[in-house]
Amino acid sequence: MRLKVVTISLVSLLLMGCGDKTKPQKSDIPLFEAFLASNPISEVSSEIAIDSIYKPGDALFNAVWGVQRRRWDIAEKELKPWVEKNDPEAMFWMASIIYGSSILDTPKAKLLFMESAKLGNPYAALFFSPKNNQCQLYYSDVCSEEWVSKAQTLFAEQAKKGDVRGIYYSKVLNNPTHEEYVQAVIEAAENHYYYPLVEYANKTARKHEPNKDMEKMAIKLLQYARYHNFVPAIEALGNYEAKNNRANGREIKSLDKQGLMLGSNIAWTQYRIDALENETLSNEQKYIIAKATDIFNGDSFALGYIDAPKNEQELIEANEKAQQRVDEVKKVIYIDGAHVPLY
C-alpha cells in the first residue's frame, strides 16, 4: 500500500496573503517554457545543486539537519548552546520546534521569535504575520503587519548582499504584479532555490480539476526541480502519482529510491511500510529497516511489529547495519526559515 500524503507538512510563511498575485495563469506557460528551454535537464543530476542555507561543518548544520529529519531531540540539544549565546538563527530554529509543544514552551518560543527578529532574522519577524495561521493559533495578540514590514526590511538587507532568498522574498513581499512574481520564481530557480517553483507547481497539480495545459507545465516544473535532487519536488511528484492511482508504478518507485537517499521523510516512512508488507524479507531484514527508520526520523512504528534479534551479538550487528543505512543518506539541507517541518 502506498503512503498517500497529499500535503507537505511544512509551515510555508511567504505565500500567505499573496492572493491572486500568485495564482497560476495560462499566460505563464510561455514564460516557463522559455525558462525550461534555456535550462535543459532531462535526467537526475549526479550533483546536488540546490541553494542550502547550511553546509556540513557549519555551526548550525547538525541542528537544522535534526529539524529536517524531525529529530527534535537532536535539534534541541544542538541548538541550546547557540541560543544561550543569543544567536538569532538558533533562537529562530529553537522557537520553531517548541512553540506548540507545551504550555511552558509556547510563551518561551514567543520571546525567542521576537528576540531573533530584533537581532535580524527576517523569518522570525514574518512568523508574526497576521496571515500566518500558526501565529493566529498561538500568539494572536501580537500578529500584525508591523512584523511583516520588519521582515521586508531585513530581507531587503539580505538582498543587497546577493542572498537568493533575500532577493526573492523582498520581491514577493513588496506587492508585485503577477508577472513580477513569476519572474521572481524563475530567477530563484535559476539560482538553485527551488521552493518557489515547487510551490507554484503545487498550486496547479493539486487542483481537483486543473487546466490540462497548466497541469502538464506544473509536472514539468516539478520534474525540473526533481532532476536537481530537490526533495520537496520529489515528494510532490510522488503524491501526484499516488493521487492519479499510480502508487505501484515504476515512476513512484524511482521517486521513492531517490527520496530515500536524499533524506525525504515521506520516502523513509514508505520504506518501513513496504518492509512490513514484504513477505520475502526475513525478520532480521525487516528489523534493520525498522530500526534505521527510527534512527533517521524517530518513526518507531514498525519496531512494535517486528521482533528484535534475541542474540545480543546479532542485535548489535543489526543495529550497526541500521545505522549504516542512515549514514548513507546524503546530508543536504533543503528546508529554510520559510519552510519548517511541522510535528
Side-chain angles (χ1 to χ4, degrees):
M1 179 183 293
R2 170 69 188 177
L3 173 68
K4 293 185 178 180
V5 184
V6 295
T7 57
I8 298 175
S9 54
L10 297 168
V11 178
S12 183
L13 298 177
L14 277 298
L15 282 182
M16 296 174 303
C18 294
D20 290 339
K21 297 291 181 65
T22 64
K23 184 178 180 179
Q25 300 175 12
K26 286 193 70 175
S27 59
D28 301 340
I29 293 178
L31 298 175
F32 284 112
E33 289 283 10
F35 160 70
L36 293 172
S38 61
N39 297 276
I41 184 169
S42 57
E43 60 183 17
V44 176
S45 174
S46 59
E47 299 179 356
I48 302 175
I50 67 172
D51 185 77
S52 296
I53 49 174
Y54 306 108
K55 303 288 191 299
D58 290 349
L60 294 183
F61 180 87
N62 289 335
V64 181
W65 176 238
V67 175
Q68 184 170 286
R69 293 162 55 195
R70 294 181 171 85
R71 286 296 308 269
W72 318 118
D73 54 334
I74 294 174
E76 191 165 353
K77 179 181 178 181
E78 292 281 343
L79 288 169
K80 187 175 179 181
W82 293 98
V83 170
E84 291 173 351
K85 295 177 183 178
N86 294 322
D87 182 278
E89 292 187 55
M91 289 179 176
F92 168 79
W93 288 108
M94 180 69 85
S96 296
I97 65 175
I98 70 171
Y99 69 83
S101 60
S102 74
I103 58 174
L104 295 177
D105 283 340
T106 298
K108 185 189 301 183
K110 178 182 178 180
L111 296 177
L112 286 172
F113 275 132
M114 288 184 169
E115 187 62 23
S116 176
K118 291 175 183 177
L119 291 173
N121 188 299
Y123 304 104
L126 201 61
F127 183 89
F128 294 110
S129 165
K131 298 181 178 68
N132 179 6
N133 59 7
Q134 296 296 300
C135 183
Q136 292 293 352
L137 182 62
Y138 293 102
Y139 310 119
S140 58
D141 60 318
V142 294
C143 308
S144 75
E145 289 294 335
E146 291 181 9
W147 287 105
V148 179
S149 296
K150 172 73 171 176
Q152 286 178 297
T153 299
L154 293 172
F155 279 126
E157 291 174 0
Q158 291 185 349
K160 291 177 182 177
K161 299 175 184 178
D163 181 89
V164 63
R165 288 170 176 79
I167 293 170
Y168 174 73
Y169 296 131
S170 61
K171 288 181 178 179
V172 299
L173 286 172
N174 195 31
N175 195 30
T177 64
H178 178 75
E179 186 171 349
E180 288 172 338
Y181 158 69
V182 171
Q183 289 297 340
V185 170
I186 290 173
E187 289 172 11
E190 289 176 333
N191 286 289
H192 309 297
Y193 182 47
Y194 302 112
Y195 259 123
L197 197 73
V198 170
E199 289 172 328
Y200 174 94
N202 277 335
K203 290 178 195 174
T204 297
R206 287 180 183 164
K207 286 185 178 179
H208 181 61
E209 293 182 353
N211 174 279
K212 291 303 178 183
D213 290 335
M214 290 296 293
E215 183 177 19
K216 290 178 182 177
M217 175 55 60
I219 299 308
K220 286 182 182 180
L221 296 177
L222 290 175
Q223 287 286 10
Y224 177 84
R226 175 262 176 109
Y227 290 150
H228 284 285
N229 294 296
F230 189 57
V231 166
I234 297 168
E235 294 178 340
L237 285 167
N239 295 335
Y240 178 80
E241 291 293 306
K243 186 182 87 169
N244 286 280
N245 300 314
R246 296 190 290 268
N248 297 309
R250 181 182 300 176
E251 177 68 5
I252 208 163
K253 286 181 172 58
S254 175
L255 290 164
D256 283 343
K257 182 179 179 181
Q258 184 185 7
L260 196 67
M261 290 305 301
L262 292 168
S264 161
N265 287 295
I266 292 177
W268 271 84
T269 300
Q270 187 63 42
Y271 183 45
R272 60 89 166 157
I273 289 176
D274 291 343
L276 284 175
E277 296 179 346
N278 191 337
E279 296 180 357
T280 68
L281 295 179
S282 67
N283 183 80
E284 181 185 3
Q285 289 172 315
K286 291 185 177 184
Y287 172 80
I288 291 171
I289 293 172
K291 183 63 177 178
T293 307
D294 180 38
I295 294 170
F296 183 75
N297 61 13
D299 181 356
S300 61
F301 177 84
L303 287 175
Y305 293 87
I306 300 171
D307 294 328
K310 293 182 172 54
N311 179 279
E312 184 177 355
Q313 185 58 38
E314 290 179 354
L315 178 61
I316 291 173
E317 291 176 357
N319 287 341
E320 288 177 347
K321 290 178 181 178
Q323 183 65 59
Q324 183 179 353
R325 293 198 182 187
V326 173
D327 292 342
E328 289 171 352
V329 176
K330 298 182 186 300
K331 292 187 176 182
V332 181
I333 301 295
Y334 59 83
I335 62 170
D336 58 29
H339 306 88
V340 181
L342 291 171
Y343 280 90

